[in-house]
Amino acid sequence: GAGVSQTPSNKVTEKGKYVELRCDPISGHTALYWYRQSLGQGPEFLIYFQGTGAADDSGLPNDRFFAVRPEGSVSTLKIQRTERGDSAVYLCASSLSFGPVGTGELFFGEGSRLTVL
Amino acid sequence: QQQVKQSPQSLIVQKGGISIINCAYENTAFDYFPWYQQFPGKGPALLIAIRPDVSEKKEGRFTISFNKSAKQFSLHIMDSQPGDSATYFCAASRTSGSRLTFGEGTQLTVNP
């Protein structure tokens, strides 16, 4: 497809379980971002990748959260020992370029809704 | 230093009216200010963006006004339509394409 694709669209899990959320960015976009959006709130930055490397992971809330982008395209957000407070919509976005070059427009996917029971 | 404050939290206007949403930021290093529109069940989509070297930018019915000295910027939607009903987020970042700091959002309802 032409847009950012995220799977699964919905995930229900039990407290303490491990979860993986996948993001397939727009082809050719080198920058990839993960945001978390709680109900009624704006997206909150988690991490972004420039190519394969995590250029900024300062938004990850704790060491239970980890993300990878091994080939510079698809990314996976991994959450260990899930807690009820992790329940949110996890948004992935990609952009054509990073920094002052280009428009910097972020293209968001529809998100993965995570519910931790 | 990283916060972006947005108001109002919700807004109801009549079709054809003007919708105004305001944002204030603290970090003077911010130099890119986009507005995103989000419909239920969808991801945010860029609506319009401005840099601090201009005080106003207009695209169709949407206008951003920017006041650098006050560290404030606003979105004006002229001739508001029911199809504009959505949640609007202001955001700010240091450079185009780097991490965005979002406001809390404004839920806009345009009544027919």
Side-chain angles (χ1 to χ4, degrees), chain B residues 54-98:
Chain B
V54 297
S55 61
E56 185 174 284
K57 183 175 181 179
K58 183 177 181 179
E59 290 184 0
R61 297 185 294 109
F62 302 92
T63 300
I64 299 179
S65 297
F66 184 81
N67 186 329
K68 187 174 181 178
S69 61
K71 293 187 288 185
Q72 296 176 347
F73 58 110
S74 61
L75 175 69
H76 295 232
I77 305 175
M78 311 300 288
D79 187 25
S80 299
Q81 299 296 313
D84 297 331
S85 297
T87 301
Y88 292 81
F89 294 96
C90 62
S93 70
R94 293 190 65 180
T95 57
S96 172
S98 66

Side-chain angles (χ1 to χ4, degrees), chain B residues 25-47:
Chain B
Y25 63 98
E26 298 175 356
N27 189 342
T28 55
F30 287 150
D31 61 359
Y32 175 67
F33 303 90
W35 284 89
Y36 279 78
Q37 179 188 56
Q38 186 176 30
F39 293 103
K42 303 294 185 181
L46 179 66
L47 194 61

Side-chain angles (χ1 to χ4, degrees), chain A residues 33 35 37 40-43 45 48 56 58 91 98-100 102-106 108-110, chain B residues 9 32 36 38 41-46 51 89 95-105:
Chain A
Y33 308 78
Y35 284 80
Q37 187 173 25
Q41 299 294 315
F45 171 81
Y48 83 77
D56 183 353
S58 61
L91 294 165
F98 162 69
T103 67
E105 178 178 357
L106 267 61
F108 282 88
E110 295 191 346
Chain B
Q9 188 174 18
Y32 175 67
Y36 279 78
Q38 186 176 30
K42 303 294 185 181
L46 179 66
R51 293 187 179 277
F89 294 96
T95 57
S96 172
S98 66
R99 58 182 293 178
L100 286 171
T101 299
F102 283 86
E104 300 91 342

